[in-house]
Amino acid sequence: MVVGERRVVEEPSLAVRRPSSSFWSRRGFLAAFLPALAFVLTGVTALAVSGNTLLPFERVITLEGKMASKRDFFEDAEVQRLLMKHHIKVHITSSGSREVAIQDISSYDFVFPSGQPAADLITSRLAARNAYAKVHRPFVSPIVLATYREYAETLQDRGMAAAQRTPGQNRPLYYGLDMLEFLRSIDDKLQWNDLGIQKYGIANANRVLAQSPDVCGSNSAGTYLALVSFTWRGKGNEVPQSDQEADARARAIKPLLEQGLPAADVFRTYISPEGKGIAPVVVAYEHQYLTYQAQFLAESKRLDTDRVLLYPAGQMVTQPLFIALTEDGDRLGELITRDPELRRRAMELGFRILDPSGEVAGDQLSRFLTERGIPVPSVASDNTRSSMPRLRFLERMISVVGDCPAADPAAGTSG
């Protein structure tokens, strides 16, 4: 550029640019990335602690099972976590144990009937077809009558029940029940009001009865039927020895039995707020009650002393049998029978776990209950152990009492 006579040379201008931010150092990116990184690291740490570090990269199989009350075991969150360590998930179809025995089970990896009679039906049918079946015996649980304190103390006032006293426990949770006297009150068609329930602030004009699930579908109902039959017959020849005797015995005890609630598991009705008004005495398994008390104590920091158990004289211990129908099902059966962590969890859920010989494994359940501050129920050693009828005769009795077809153990699996 020329100004006057002089040439002016412009200095080159320099533009100073701000250095571009690195992608990895941008404040926005870090704000988004760091929490995600922390989440991933936390997840990896949790998997490492639980022993499942490689679980996302390993194949997890889902096994199909069918059962009734023992579904509580597989629905437990801790059992599910322990099974995932072995890359196993379990999907349960709920059904009464006898329903499991008489319906088609070909699409399942395992079934878990709650007692020997239903298991015998299943294994007999599978043997007739030369089908795959492996049996595991992980734990047992006695049949009990679950009730409410007012009803237990009314029975005690009438000499039918006796409280099991526990040191430091002013309100007992367990009562021994004179089963024969209880059945006599049913046979006499006595009402709860006749027994004096009003003393405890309740009026109940309903007959004295123990409510069970439908005997045509439930193992607990079938077992209770056998207990009633054994007790009502008296000493000598307590189980039927012929078809004719089984039919006659069933007709004799049918008025003593009240069964048929829609749900296969009446225990869930019992622990509901409406339970006392629907069925004040229900047939249940010991493990259901002990699990309920452990959960109630964990949530409320106290025991539910309004709900109690009656232990009938003439104990009837039911033995759930895990029946594997596939090799994967057999692997699961081995785990729940032998794995130390799963065995301990079964005990924590109120089951009496078995040792390899099939006997109850020491006093682990007693120690566990004591550690948790739950009174330990005592089963008198001099109680008469009730005998189950042979499967053929029990089926005939169920058929008469429940007005349902008797299952034929020799028949093929029905649909």
Side-chain angles (χ1 to χ4, degrees):
M1 181 174 66
V2 178
V3 179
E5 295 298 324
R6 293 186 301 151
R7 180 178 296 271
V8 178
V9 180
E10 292 185 352
E11 295 289 336
S13 62
L14 298 177
V16 180
R17 294 185 179 181
R18 300 177 63 184
S20 61
S21 298
S22 168
F23 180 74
W24 291 97
S25 62
R26 288 179 183 171
R27 192 173 297 176
F29 173 77
L30 291 177
F33 175 73
L34 289 179
L37 178 62
F39 178 80
V40 171
L41 292 176
T42 300
V44 171
T45 302
L47 287 171
V49 170
S50 64
N52 294 326
T53 309
L54 299 179
L55 189 59
F57 309 102
E58 298 187 15
R59 174 175 170 261
V60 175
I61 61 172
T62 298
L63 303 183
E64 296 290 336
K66 194 172 188 180
M67 68 196 75
S69 64
K70 303 309 173 279
R71 69 182 181 274
D72 296 342
F73 177 77
F74 290 104
E75 289 176 349
D76 176 67
E78 178 64 9
V79 169
Q80 293 173 355
R81 186 190 71 81
L82 292 172
L83 288 176
M84 282 296 289
K85 290 175 62 176
H86 300 277
H87 322 299
I88 291 175
K89 291 177 65 175
V90 173
H91 178 260
I92 299 301
T93 299
S94 296
S95 179
S97 290
R98 190 169 178 273
E99 290 177 343
V100 173
I102 63 178
Q103 294 178 353
D104 180 29
I105 55 175
S106 59
S107 62
Y108 295 93
D109 294 287
F110 69 95
V111 292
F112 204 173
S114 295
Q116 189 81 42
D120 287 345
L121 274 176
I122 295 168
T123 53
S124 296
R125 292 172 181 275
L126 294 172
R129 296 192 293 113
N130 198 29
Y132 186 100
K134 290 194 177 180
V135 176
H136 301 271
R137 295 173 172 82
F139 39 65
V140 298
S141 189
I143 281 285
V144 292
L145 300 184
T147 187
Y148 304 87
R149 179 164 304 283
E150 299 91 338
Y151 289 87
E153 294 189 355
T154 297
L155 293 173
Q156 182 173 239
D157 292 343
R158 297 297 292 257
M160 297 184 210
Q164 294 183 10
R165 298 295 176 183
T166 303
Q169 185 72 30
N170 296 325
R171 289 162 63 84
L173 296 183
Y174 316 118
Y175 294 75
L177 178 67
D178 187 327
M179 192 66 188
L180 182 57
E181 288 302 313
F182 181 70
L183 293 177
R184 283 173 177 162
S185 69
I186 298 174
D187 189 52
D188 291 340
K189 297 180 172 55
L190 296 180
Q191 301 175 355
W192 287 105
N193 285 344
D194 297 328
L195 299 186
I197 191 74
Q198 304 94 322
K199 174 182 175 181
Y200 298 98
I202 295 175
N204 190 338
N206 293 323
R207 287 179 53 199
V208 176
L209 284 169
Q211 181 79 61
S212 78
D214 183 1
V215 74
C216 295
S218 165
N219 178 78
S220 62
T223 304
Y224 182 66
L225 179 155
L227 174 61
V228 171
S229 173
F230 180 93
T231 305
W232 197 240
R233 178 71 179 186
K235 297 296 183 183
N237 196 26
E238 288 91 349
V239 295
Q241 304 295 324
S242 67
D243 290 349
Q244 294 75 17
E245 189 179 352
D247 292 347
R249 186 81 60 85
R251 288 191 292 270
I253 66 172
K254 187 172 182 176
L256 306 177
L257 298 166
E258 178 70 15
Q259 50 83 34
L261 281 182
D265 181 7
V266 297
F267 189 79
R268 297 195 179 190
T269 301
Y270 165 71
I271 62 176
S272 72
E274 303 80 18
K276 189 182 296 188
I278 298 173
V281 182
V282 302
V283 177
Y285 294 105
E286 180 190 57
H287 79 270
Q288 294 175 299
Y289 179 84
L290 296 179
T291 300
Y292 166 75
Q293 285 291 3
Q295 292 173 345
F296 190 91
L297 181 60
E299 295 170 2
S300 306
K301 311 305 179 188
R302 64 180 181 86
L303 295 169
D304 181 355
T305 56
D306 293 327
R307 289 178 170 84
V308 300
L309 284 190
L310 303 171
Y311 282 82
Q315 280 295 310
M316 188 73 77
V317 176
T318 63
Q319 181 163 319
L321 269 70
F322 181 103
I323 304 175
L325 307 176
T326 64
E327 290 186 358
D328 284 335
D330 184 46
R331 179 178 165 225
L332 175 61
E334 286 286 333
L335 281 173
I336 67 171
T337 304
R338 303 185 185 280
D339 181 81
E341 291 182 302
L342 285 165
R343 281 168 59 83
R344 175 170 175 79
R345 186 56 185 164
M347 179 199 64
E348 292 173 349
L349 293 173
F351 291 101
R352 299 176 182 267
I353 59 175
L354 300 178
D355 61 24
S357 69
E359 297 297 322
V360 175
D363 59 352
Q364 291 107 319
L365 178 61
S366 297
R367 288 200 301 270
F368 169 75
L369 294 175
T370 300
E371 290 169 1
R372 295 299 188 279
I374 301 172
V376 178
S378 65
V379 179
S381 59
D382 60 350
N383 274 356
T384 303
R385 181 60 59 87
S386 303
S387 300
M388 291 291 288
R390 285 175 51 193
L391 180 59
R392 173 189 178 91
F393 303 141
L394 178 61
E395 278 298 314
R396 292 189 70 94
M397 295 173 72
I398 288 173
S399 176
V400 171
V401 171
D403 297 318
C404 50
D408 180 1
T413 304
S414 36

